[in-house]
């Protein structure tokens, strides 16, 4: 793949072998790259296939997010996809990444996160709840921030 546009040091817009527009993410993948140059396959962590209406929103969101939040999102979505046994929407990446970033900011600011439905969710959506709890482990490993149990429900909302 070749660089169409460098969004930031960790994100490049390109086209895949089918000619579909993609965002290519990887640590340092866009550093000192220029349009037309080839992308180092060894640095590719994730390739997002874009629909036309998604492109601008994904570029804006991912360009403003810390790499650790994006990496946590990728790992959580991969884990949830395997655990649930079904493909999840690309919009989940956008919403989840934004939510993780906001939850981390709230946590660092000392703003508590509470979920009044925690008991009901554990009971009626236990599988999703367990995915949410594993998500907290992933977020802590990637960002160094341990979010409270109440955050797990918002991360993997069963609705």
């Amino acid at each position: 793949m070749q660089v169409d546009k460098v969004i930031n040091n960790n994100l490049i817009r390109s086209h895949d072998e089918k000619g579909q527009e993609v965002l290519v993410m990887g640590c340092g993948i866009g550093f000192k790259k220029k349009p037309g140059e080839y992308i180092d396959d060894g640095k590719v962590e994730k390739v997002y296939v874009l629909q036309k209406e998604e492109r601008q929103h994904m570029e804006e969101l991912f360009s403003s997010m810390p790499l650790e939040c994006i990496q946590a999102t990728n790992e959580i979505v991969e884990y949830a996809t395997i655990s649930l046994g079904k493909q999840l929407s690309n919009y989940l990446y956008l919403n989840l990444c934004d939510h993780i970033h906001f939850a981390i900011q709230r946590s660092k600011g000392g703003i508590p996160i509470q979920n009044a439905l925690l008991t009901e969710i554990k009971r009626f959506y236990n599988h999703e709840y367990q995915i949410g709890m594993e998500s907290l482990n992933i977020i802590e490993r990637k960002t160094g921030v341990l979010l409270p149990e109440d955050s797990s429900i918002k991360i993997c909302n069963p609705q």
Side-chain angles (χ1 to χ4, degrees):
M1 286 188 283
Q2 289 181 301
V3 175
D4 288 346
K5 179 181 177 184
V6 175
I7 309 301
N8 61 33
N9 283 341
N10 305 309
L11 192 66
I12 293 174
R13 185 172 5 136
S14 184
H15 285 81
D16 65 11
E17 62 279 349
K18 296 178 184 174
Q20 295 175 315
E21 193 167 34
V22 295
L23 288 179
V24 183
M25 189 206 71
C27 188
I29 199 165
F31 184 67
K32 293 188 177 185
K33 288 290 187 180
K34 295 187 179 7
E37 292 183 350
Y38 284 95
I39 298 170
D40 179 357
D41 291 337
K43 290 188 175 184
V44 175
E45 292 178 23
K46 179 74 178 166
V47 177
Y48 302 93
V49 178
L50 302 178
Q51 303 301 317
K52 202 168 218 165
E53 62 275 2
E54 297 174 318
R55 183 176 61 84
Q56 184 174 354
H57 190 61
M58 283 186 88
E59 276 186 23
E60 288 172 9
L61 178 67
F62 285 157
S63 67
S64 65
M65 288 293 148
L67 179 61
E68 300 81 25
C69 288
I70 298 170
Q71 290 172 326
T73 299
N74 291 336
E75 192 170 330
I76 291 166
V77 172
E78 183 178 323
Y79 175 79
T81 299
I82 292 167
S83 182
L84 294 170
K86 63 181 179 181
Q87 190 62 35
L88 302 173
S89 167
N90 276 344
Y91 289 108
L92 179 61
Y93 287 99
L94 297 172
N95 296 330
L96 184 57
C97 190
D98 191 42
H99 172 73
I100 291 169
H101 187 247
F102 184 65
I104 289 171
Q105 288 178 323
R106 285 181 60 129
S107 178
K108 286 181 177 179
I111 301 169
I113 299 171
Q114 294 181 323
N115 187 337
L117 300 174
L118 182 60
T119 303
E120 288 80 9
I121 292 171
K122 282 181 183 181
R123 181 175 173 203
F124 295 110
Y125 298 100
N126 190 263
H127 188 189
E128 290 83 357
Y129 170 78
Q130 294 301 324
I131 293 169
M133 292 305 295
E134 179 58 28
S135 297
L136 294 179
N137 294 329
I138 293 168
I139 292 167
E140 182 181 21
R141 194 172 63 253
K142 293 290 184 183
T143 69
V145 176
L146 176 60
L147 296 174
E149 179 186 28
D150 289 86
S151 297
S152 70
I153 305 309
K154 291 174 177 59
I155 289 170
C156 194
N157 191 338
Q159 297 178 13

